[in-house]
Amino acid sequence: IDWLDTIPNPDHLDMGYYDFIEEIDALLMGRNTYEFVANYDGPWPYKRPVFVWSQTLDSIPEALKEKATLVRGSLSEVLATIHAKGYDRLYIDGGKTIQTFLQADLIDELIVTTIPVLLGQGIPLFGQLAERLWFEHVDTKVFLNQLVQNHYKRKR
């Protein structure tokens, strides 16, 4: 995350993250996102339970077993497993995982933060949809005069 090198004291940035994380019960991310975070040089960034949805990952390494749980199965099976543990308000992370939830129309809110760095690769956040999903704008915030965070709620 090279753009952080340009910001003084990036470890002390909030950008609404702490307020946001207080509103969720757990995180569900795909394997690619998990592997990126697990290999990042720094402390584990999440204070909530993390579920890793993967059909190809065999296990969570011993060092992260207290921090992340592997879940497998269909979308409905994974959600049933997580909800049975009492976690209802989920933060969904990872391009493929977000696309799967959007295709199933299971996203109630979107908070999209645009960082002014073009990567030139990666998985698109929004993929093909069978029909349009309408969202309504709730709020926009600008952080560090560079990052733009847009908050939307699903119109049903």
Side-chain angles (χ1 to χ4, degrees):
I1 306 179
D2 298 333
W3 67 271
L4 277 176
D5 295 338
T6 65
I7 299 170
N9 298 321
D11 292 337
H12 298 109
L13 295 178
D14 176 349
M15 296 183 288
Y17 176 77
Y18 298 113
D19 289 337
F20 166 74
I21 208 73
E22 289 299 317
E23 295 178 8
I24 65 163
D25 298 327
L27 292 87
L28 174 62
M29 63 180 63
R31 180 188 52 84
N32 290 337
T33 302
Y34 161 74
E35 287 178 347
F36 177 82
V37 173
N39 292 316
Y40 183 69
D41 187 29
W44 186 251
Y46 306 112
K47 305 294 184 212
R48 295 283 192 244
V50 173
F51 294 90
V52 181
W53 186 19
S54 175
Q55 307 306 327
T56 58
L57 199 61
D58 291 325
S59 64
I60 301 292
E62 195 63 39
L64 294 176
K65 283 198 184 226
E66 296 289 320
K67 299 175 180 354
T69 302
L70 181 62
V71 289
R72 294 179 181 223
S74 69
L75 180 57
S76 59
E77 291 168 334
V78 166
L79 286 175
T81 297
I82 295 171
H83 293 319
K85 294 178 183 293
Y87 305 120
D88 295 314
R89 192 156 165 81
L90 303 177
Y91 165 27
I92 310 303
D93 200 3
K96 289 180 185 177
T97 305
I98 292 169
Q99 287 180 21
T100 301
F101 271 74
L102 285 169
Q103 289 164 358
D105 197 7
L106 291 173
I107 299 288
D108 296 320
E109 293 184 54
L110 285 172
I111 298 175
V112 180
T113 303
T114 305
I115 300 170
V117 176
L118 298 178
L119 300 177
Q121 62 184 1
I123 297 169
L125 185 58
F126 309 110
Q128 295 288 328
L129 297 173
E131 60 184 58
R132 291 181 180 176
L133 303 179
W134 293 94
F135 288 81
E136 106 183 298
H137 180 258
V138 175
D139 190 28
T140 296
K141 295 176 183 166
V142 177
F143 299 100
L144 306 169
N145 205 30
Q146 304 183 63
L147 290 84
V148 179
Q149 184 180 81
N150 289 296
H151 181 182
Y152 302 93
K153 286 196 176 187
R154 178 76 168 93
K155 288 178 73 172
R156 300 205 185 265

